[in-house]
Amino acid sequence: MQQWDVIVVGAGAAGLMCAIEAGNRGRKVLLLDNGKRPGRKILMSGGGRCNFTNIYSSPENFLSQNKHFCKSALSRYTQWDFIALVQKHAIPFHEKTLGQLFCGDSAKDIVEMLLTEAKAANVQIAMQQQITTVSFADGVYTVTTPELSRQCQSLVIASGGLSLPNLGATAFGFQLAEQFGLKVLPLRAALVPLTWQPSDKAVFEEISGVSLPVTAEANGTLFPEDMLFTHRGLSGPAILQISSYWQPGDNVIVNMSPDTNVAEFLASQQQAHPEQEVKTALAKLLPKRLVEKLLELKVFTNQPLKALNPKSIKQLADSLHGYIFKPNGTEGYRTAEVTIGGVDTDGLSSKTMEAKQQPGLYFIGEVVDVTGWLGGYNFQWAWASGWVAGQYC
């Protein structure tokens, strides 16, 4: 029977950060993971460049049934704190659109940085550990794997959500929460492509690969970014973002020309080129292959611009500024970047991440009902929640 002060389950972003901070306090820390190597999601994120935080990160960029829960952690360990750590290790990075920070070279740099910090904090890491049981008695947790049992005073669950099962995602953290009496809110895939209805698929799959800047809206929330047509449905940053707010049966309203007023554009084209066909004019605004599909769907009738009256121009403009897609569903956890829902924050302390009714048990990162937007926000929640728990566990 091994004795530890702290056992952290999950060697991802949150688990590594928590283990480092606990180790820096002089705690004897063991980090367990079911995979072959730590930081698997870090390594594949951002196309292998790791979008490790966002300079605009704030509580408004997160979804949770308790919108206030994330404020404490995010204010105590900010994006600037993590950027300082990256700079300390001389890792090159750059800003892409909308405040997203990426490694200049490789996501491996972030994992190496965390492992270097963990080693300096005397954190022990054990990979390929399949936990069979966890029990609690007399203030001590016993964590059992087929090889041996380990005991600790503080047990931190950083096992992530259900997204990307090929990276080893399991329901372990949610099951453990329920074992110890914590409520787990309904789970669903988020930051995920949306799939076609059969009728739309028959039309749009032929233009797979076409992308354009749009705004995508669902349930009163709107995101401006690119949308991508795929064989299976709609993807791209705008769609991934809106997927977190979309519910089965909802429409997604897409403005295909967010930067140009279509009615004004067509009116000016009508003045300048009255003989020009509608589809020729629209192809100056939208990808030509998309215009052909919209014609096929009878969104507009192809005729000379001079044949249009103000009412028909307005109708066409309205249909492009508010095109309605009714997705069939999502691509699910297989391609989802995150899981929405999870351990109910009402059962946790926002100051420490400890379970209110179960002393010494902590939940951090994606397993908790806090989900960020696309663009480095989920990593910032991992760093912040991990850092906070590391101060107390």
Side-chain angles (χ1 to χ4, degrees), residues 64 116 172 193 195 213 244 256 260 269 274 290 296 301 335 345 354 357 365 382 384 391:
S64 174
T116 299
F172 173 83
T195 56
S244 297
M256 294 190 184
T260 303
Q269 290 290 302
L290 173 58
E296 194 178 309
T301 304
T335 57
T345 58
E354 185 177 16
Q357 306 301 322
Q391 310 307 309

Side-chain angles (χ1 to χ4, degrees), residues 350-367:
S350 62
K351 181 183 176 185
T352 65
M353 307 302 293
E354 185 177 16
K356 292 175 181 175
Q357 306 301 322
Q358 183 61 44
L361 182 63
Y362 299 75
F363 291 87
I364 57 176
E366 192 183 344
V367 75

Side-chain angles (χ1 to χ4, degrees), residues 32-36 40 126-133 143-148 150 168 170 172:
L32 298 177
D33 194 278
N34 64 356
K36 290 182 179 178
R40 284 165 293 170
M127 302 302 294
Q128 294 182 281
Q129 301 291 307
Q130 301 295 333
I131 296 171
T132 51
T133 60
V143 179
T144 304
T145 63
E147 296 77 34
L148 77 159
R150 302 170 171 101
T170 72
F172 173 83

Side-chain angles (χ1 to χ4, degrees), residues 3 28 35 44 48 68 90 126 136 170 187 234 251 277 298 320 341:
Q3 303 291 331
K28 185 183 177 187
M44 61 74 64
H68 302 291
F136 177 77
T170 72
L187 306 170
L234 292 172
N251 292 330
E277 292 185 328
K298 297 183 170 56
L320 295 181

Side-chain angles (χ1 to χ4, degrees), residues 93-172:
F93 66 92
H94 58 275
E95 180 187 347
K96 282 196 176 178
T97 56
L98 306 172
Q100 301 169 61
L101 298 187
F102 286 79
C103 293
D105 297 326
S106 167
K108 291 177 185 174
D109 291 343
I110 298 294
V111 175
E112 285 303 316
M113 172 189 80
L114 294 166
L115 292 178
T116 299
E117 291 281 333
K119 187 176 181 182
N122 295 312
V123 173
Q124 298 297 307
I125 301 176
M127 302 302 294
Q128 294 182 281
Q129 301 291 307
Q130 301 295 333
I131 296 171
T132 51
T133 60
V134 175
S135 60
F136 177 77
D138 302 324
V140 174
Y141 291 91
T142 303
V143 179
T144 304
T145 63
E147 296 77 34
L148 77 159
S149 291
R150 302 170 171 101
Q151 290 188 328
C152 60
Q153 301 159 359
S154 296
L155 178 62
V156 184
I157 306 303
S159 52
L162 300 177
S163 49
L164 302 172
N166 60 331
L167 291 182
T170 72
F172 173 83

